Each structure stands twice: as C-alpha cells, then as structure tokens.
Amino acid sequence: MRSQGDQVITPRRKGETELEPSNWTKQMNRPQPSRRHASMTLRAPLFAVAFLAAACCCQSAWCNPELEAAIEKAEESLCEGRFNTALEQYRNLLKTLSSLKTPAQDKLALMPEIDLALRRTAALSRQLGRSADVAPLFSTLARQLAELSPTISALASYQAGWAALDASGSTADADNHWESLGLLKNWRIMGPFDNERGTGFLSTYAPEKGIDLDGAAEGKAREVRWRTLPRQTLAGYVNFNEMLRPRDEALAYAVTFIEAAAQSDLTLRLGSDESYRIWLNGKLLASEDIQRKFVFDQNAIGLPLQKGWNCLLIKIGESEGSWGFTARITDPEGKPARGWREGLPAGKALTSYKELSASQELAENAVLAPTGTLATLRDRVEKEAPRARDHYLLGVLLRMQGAHDSDEHPDSNALRLAIQAEKKKGLYHYDLARSLQAESSIAAQRDDNNWRKAMLASEKAGCAIASIRLAEYYLETFSNMHRARVHLDRALKINPDLIAGILIQSRIEDRSGFPDAGRKAVTAARKIDSSSPATLLARAAQLAGPGQLEEKIGILRGLLDRKHL
C-alpha cells in the first residue's frame, strides 16, 4: 500500500463495485446572472481584523465565536435554500478571510474554511447563473494564496477559469486563469480497449508493450491507432467520453512527452473518471482500480523526471457514464514548476520508445506524503480532543474531492463523528446523506435506507433542502404524492420562495390533474428569480405553443452556452 497525495494508493481489482439526481441539484457539480437577487440577499457580517487575528492564535479557526457565528449564518442560509443569500455570505467570507494581514502560520489555520467556502461559492454561482459575480473574486484569491497555500490557489484559478467561461463564453478568458496551472495538453490517445467488468485494468494492451505512434492495435470493437486530440481541451480535461466509441466497459491510453532541463523531482496532480494507471519511462508510479467521478486534483503522485525526454503514459478505465482525466505538473508543494516543457522527441529519441515496456509493479519512488487541506484536517482529528467542526470539514471536503472509490466512505465516517458531537446541525446530516448516496444505475445497489435516515435527521433539524430531496425521492421513486407533499410542505414552510419546491409542487399538482400547474409555477418562479437556470429550464419546458419556438431555442441556447445543459 502506498500513500499518494491525499489518497492511499493500492493496486487492486474491483469486487463484482454538491447535487445529483435532479436538475436543480446537478447544477451544484462541474467538470460544469441573476438580476433579481437583491431582495434575497442578507447583509453578511463584516469581520474586524482584530477578532480574526485572535482566532488565529490557536490551531483551529473555531477559537473565535464571531467567526463561528458568521460561518453558521452562511450554512443556515444554505440549509434553508436561500441560495442567493448564502452566496453573498460566502463571497464576503472569502474576501475577509483571504485578505487578513496576519502571520502566515496563523492564516494557515483558516485554510480548511477557505477551501470549503471557495467550493461552495463556485457551486452556488453556477447554480444561480451568477458566475460573472465571482470570477474576479476567485482570481484575486488565487493571487493572494499563491505562496501561502498553492493547492487552494490552484483551485481558485481553476474555478476562476470556469466562472469566466460561464460568464463570457470566451475560452481565451478562461485560459488566462488556467495557464499557470501546468496543465498537460499535448496528448495522443489510443482506444477504446475492452474493460468488461474491470477485467482490462491489469491487462497488458499494445501501448504497454511500446509506444509506436504510427502503429495500430486491436481495440474493443475495431482496430485503433494513436491520434492527436481533435480540439483544444478545457482546463486540460481529456474527454474520452466524447471522442471514443464504444464508451462503456472500456479503457483508453494517453501519452505525452516531457523534456526536462535537469533531473528533477516534481509532482503530477491527477483527477480522473474512473480508474487509472500511470507510467513514467516505463516505471509504474500509481495504480487504482476504482469507480469515482472526476474532480480537479484528486491525487498527487511523485514525478521523478530524468534530464532530457521523458515518456508519460496514462491508462484510464471506465464502467459507464462520464470518462476522462486532467493531469498537471507542479513542484512538490503545488507551486508552478520550472524547467520542463511538453513536446515531441525527434529521430532516435522517439523511435526508442517503441521498445519501452511498461512495468506492472509499483516503483519504489512512487510515494508522496499527503499535503494540503485534507492532511491538515487529518492531523487535527488525530489529536486528543478534536472539534466536531474539524471532523465535519474533513468529511465534507473528502466528499467534495471524491478521490476514494464510490463503495468506500471515509467521508461518511468523518461526518458521523461530527454528528456525534453536534446532533442538531442540519447541514451535517444533509452532507452525511449525500455521502451515502451511491452513484449506480441499479436501484438495489443504492443504500436508500441510511440515506433516508440521514435526510430525515437533516429535515428534523430544519434543513429545507433535505425536505426537498425527500419530496423528490417519494415522488419519483414511489410516485407517493402524499408523502412527497408532506415533505414539500415542510420545505416551503421554512422558505416559501424556494424555487425547487415551487417546481416540485407543480409536478405534484400536474399528476393530480390540476390544470395549468406548470404555467403557474413558472410565473411564481420568475417573480422570485427570473434568470436562474432552474426557472429558465422550467420556462423553456412550457414553451410548446405556436410562435414560442424561437423563445424556447433562445433560452436553451443561453443555458447551453453557460454550461447548464
């Protein structure tokens, strides 16, 4: 067993294995502006430097009651489904925390909170169609944290690029934010190869026997060859799902060449959907046969470059759904690395790789000690009296990072420990439920019972978004309109302006035979937030009459441009 970045890397075979099922919750995730949000925006508390400096005197940011209260306000707004309010509170929180004039070691204690606030701000801005409001903030945050916390700085740059793309549709604007990340882009790909039930993960296909860019091999359904990427990648993401067929129960390879000015020990940071194996100059650096969704920077792997040309080969397996990866090179701390470039060797240097055989045993130098926010939190919870908040931060960030196998639940374990100490925190129970929700097309494999128990506990603690999820669950899984309405009424009692609740109510009324339910719901939603993606999608669904096609196409095209479809 080898530790790789924030994950424990173990070469193994599969066993025979924030938001998700609904449209409004899907907006909370990426490998993805409201004009009428003023009335929903609560003024976020202004934090004085004095009390935040006092908070930094200890290892946890939770030394200060005012800081705790401010973050609790943002989480309360999120739990009640007051998303515009929550976004403003998280934006103000990020501005204040990132600009503190305090010693570096003191400020490091707040990094887990900054990490979580950054991720939630990004998710909320996409959900609400307000990316233009946050792109400058993310860019500023990336500059401010470049030396202090390179990994969070990189995440801010990554999110700034997506926000800029959502806001303007310009890939040039996005690339300006991504150019410092060390993203690898000059890939050549080969595939698909067979990976039925994961059996291809340890199979040795042609690319593992030598890299012949002019050669061919027998693939899953036909002969396959090495080919260059057909178009520019977005944030370095190599999307096998768009380029290869068949694309389920399959795997593919990607190769690139790196020229190093001198021998150097750098770091390869990887996000993948799903399993992966990585070789450098034929040596196996990392191997995990897992099922997971792609998230930026899920793993960090030591990359010992030799002087001159190096061959980097990556193998990505897939069962079903999305399929791809992003890889980038940094120094061991996560800062931009110098002295390397991507390219293509010429003459004998390139020909020599035809005989390069890929090892099947992990190299001895394939270990990298954990770094970053998750490592900080693991250190905290291992102490004698860890705080409930540290367990929660560890659990929710593990869930958001999603580096583990979907059948494993280190996030759930940490969240349960947090709940043992803070049973009345609705958002804690809600995140526990989300960590227990298996991504599977087979209903019998879903852990519905534990998911439902956690959602009910969240609802009991006053979490409106938990009530919404339960209403959807009973309506769509069991067509139980009575139970769905019970949970929906609880959500709307807490927040009558919850657009998701209004739209679910229209579905219940439509199934009950009420006329014009959909139109009335859209009218109500437009009064609350006319430019939110959820409202616009609902409006487009209603446009089916004569003369309405042009408006419908316009709405859908706008959502597509903003990556909301």
Side-chain angles (χ1 to χ4, degrees), residues 469-506:
R469 294 296 298 276
L470 287 163
E472 285 187 311
Y473 173 73
Y474 282 107
L475 182 62
E476 300 303 329
T477 305
F478 302 109
S479 295
N480 188 330
M481 289 187 288
H482 171 71
R483 293 292 298 274
R485 188 177 288 279
V486 167
H487 293 293
L488 178 62
D489 288 346
R490 290 171 183 167
L492 294 177
K493 183 178 180 180
I494 295 170
N495 181 5
D497 291 335
L498 189 51
I499 291 176
I502 292 170
L503 297 178
I504 292 173
Q505 186 174 45
S506 75

Side-chain angles (χ1 to χ4, degrees), residues 228-248:
T228 57
L229 298 180
R231 66 180 184 182
Q232 175 190 6
T233 63
L234 291 176
Y237 186 71
V238 178
N239 195 334
F240 288 132
N241 208 52
E242 286 188 352
M243 295 183 288
L244 302 178
R245 298 290 187 276
R247 57 188 179 184
D248 291 335

Side-chain angles (χ1 to χ4, degrees), residues 306-531:
Q306 63 188 21
K307 183 178 180 179
W309 286 105
N310 297 261
C311 177
L312 180 65
L313 178 66
I314 296 183
K315 178 181 188 177
I316 303 291
E318 169 64 11
S319 55
E320 63 179 2
S322 301
W323 179 22
F325 75 97
T326 290
R328 66 188 189 99
I329 293 178
T330 71
D331 76 1
E333 293 182 352
K335 296 178 181 178
R338 302 182 183 276
W340 68 274
R341 72 176 184 91
E342 265 189 294
L344 185 66
K348 292 182 179 179
L350 181 60
T351 304
S352 66
Y353 292 120
K354 292 182 180 182
E355 307 300 325
L356 183 64
S357 178
S359 172
Q360 302 303 308
E361 298 294 329
L362 278 171
E364 288 300 319
N365 59 354
V367 177
L368 186 67
T371 58
T373 302
L374 292 178
T376 299
L377 290 168
R378 286 190 176 110
D379 288 342
R380 286 186 189 176
V381 301
E382 288 174 1
K383 293 183 177 178
E384 186 173 344
R387 297 171 183 266
R389 182 67 182 182
D390 290 328
H391 283 298
Y392 174 70
L393 288 168
L394 177 59
V396 73
L397 288 172
L398 280 170
R399 182 187 64 73
M400 289 179 168
Q401 193 66 4
H404 51 274
D405 190 279
S406 59
D407 281 346
E408 299 171 353
H409 296 289
D411 48 355
S412 306
N413 296 336
L415 289 165
R416 286 191 178 101
L417 290 172
I419 289 169
Q420 286 178 12
E422 294 279 0
K423 292 184 174 61
K424 295 183 179 180
K425 294 277 190 180
L427 202 57
Y428 287 21
H429 291 283
Y430 182 77
D431 278 306
L432 174 61
R434 291 183 63 190
S435 75
L436 293 169
Q437 183 172 324
E439 294 287 345
S440 174
S441 60
I442 303 175
Q445 292 181 355
R446 294 185 58 187
D447 194 355
D448 280 343
N449 191 44
N450 288 331
W451 174 88
R452 188 170 58 252
K453 285 181 180 178
M455 278 295 176
L456 287 169
S458 180
E459 181 183 60
K460 185 178 180 180
C463 199
I465 55 177
S467 297
I468 289 293
R469 294 296 298 276
L470 287 163
E472 285 187 311
Y473 173 73
Y474 282 107
L475 182 62
E476 300 303 329
T477 305
F478 302 109
S479 295
N480 188 330
M481 289 187 288
H482 171 71
R483 293 292 298 274
R485 188 177 288 279
V486 167
H487 293 293
L488 178 62
D489 288 346
R490 290 171 183 167
L492 294 177
K493 183 178 180 180
I494 295 170
N495 181 5
D497 291 335
L498 189 51
I499 291 176
I502 292 170
L503 297 178
I504 292 173
Q505 186 174 45
S506 75
R507 283 151 55 189
I508 294 174
E509 290 176 353
D510 183 65
R511 294 187 188 188
S512 301
F514 287 90
D516 255 357
R519 184 186 60 80
K520 292 176 182 177
V522 169
T523 300
R526 294 178 77 182
K527 289 179 180 179
I528 297 167
D529 192 345
S530 62
S531 61

